[in-house]
């Protein structure tokens, strides 16, 4: 048997992997599959869904960069790189980045550390391609705490996109019900949701695709509503208690 819950015991961190195609177009996506797999030479691996534009470009160009995200990374940034396609959106128009010596873009927004990698091995592992290669550049960007996937799920109440290596078929991510919608409040505040302070339950709408929480529509979201993070319509939202 395969108990999908077992996979949740695997810890990982959130990163943005980026690459540039032969025509100079920048692409990138959020991953939780950046792993150091050798110390000498320092070697990293990433797994990318075969259907991702970023996988196609990394395979063609043989290079990628990766930025480890800090806990301050916003759902806007994660949603932009995690839930939208580089084939449809210029993700770099809405974030801070710089270009490495080899021309590969590198996201600096909310970055803790970054790496530049030359791909030496590509392994077909089913839904994903595993890219492995030596690190040619490594740099610390800030002293922020790296964002673990568990933090993303429980504090930001983020969801796992279907193309992620850890996608579990869309089951609930196990986010605690009483977590406040504002991640800053969860980290810096008392930890007590505003609803508890007033004694009255508060309700909101949560996107079942990306986890975005919308407040202020007690009678339901309008028909033309679109999730600001992933673009999903109102039918993809469910009512939650804050
Ligand atoms: Fe969404």
């Amino acid at each position: 048997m395969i108990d999908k819950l077992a996979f949740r015991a695997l810890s990982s961190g959130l990163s943005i992997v980026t690459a540039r195609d032969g025509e100079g177009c920048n692409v990138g996506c959020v991953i939780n599959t950046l792993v150091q797999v050798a110390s000498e030479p320092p070697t990293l691996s990433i797994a990318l869904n075969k259907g991702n534009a970023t996988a196609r470009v990394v395979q063609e160009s043989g290079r990628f960069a990766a930025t480890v995200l800090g806990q301050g990374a916003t759902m806007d940034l994660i949603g932009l790189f995690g839930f939208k396609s580089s084939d449809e959106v210029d993700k770099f128009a809405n974030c801070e980045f710089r270009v490495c010596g080899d021309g590969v873009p590198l996201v600096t927004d909310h970055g803790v550390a970054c790496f530049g990698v030359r791909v030496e091995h590509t392994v077909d592992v089913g839904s994903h391609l595993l890219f492995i290669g030596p690190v040619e550049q490594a740099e610390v960007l800030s002293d922020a705490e790296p964002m673990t996937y568990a933090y993303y799920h429980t504090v930001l109440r983020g969801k796992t996109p279907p193309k992620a290596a850890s996608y579990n078929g869309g089951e609930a991510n196990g986010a605690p019900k009483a977590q406040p919608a504002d991640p800053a409040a969860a980290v810096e505040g008392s930890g007590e949701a505003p609803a508890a302070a007033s004694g009255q339950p508060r309700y909101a709408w949560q996107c079942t695709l990306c986890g975005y929480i919308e407040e202020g529509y007690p009678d339901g979201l309008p028909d033309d509503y679109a999730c600001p993070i992933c673009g999903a319509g109102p039918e993809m939202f469910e009512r939650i208690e804050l």
Side-chain angles (χ1 to χ4, degrees), residues 83 206-212 226-232 236-237:
F83 290 90
Q206 183 172 30
C207 178
T208 57
L209 279 183
C210 72
Y212 176 77
C227 175
I229 301 296
C230 71
M236 296 305 294
F237 280 72

Side-chain angles (χ1 to χ4, degrees), residues 47-71:
L48 295 176
N49 189 288
K50 290 176 180 175
N52 273 357
T54 308
R56 184 183 72 239
V57 174
V58 171
Q59 192 166 28
E60 289 170 359
S61 66
R63 309 195 79 86
F64 68 84
T67 302
V68 177
L69 292 176
Q71 285 185 354

Side-chain angles (χ1 to χ4, degrees), residues 32-37 43-46:
N32 72 323
T33 56
L34 177 65
V35 178
Q36 182 175 2
V37 291
T43 302
L44 296 178
S45 76
I46 57 170

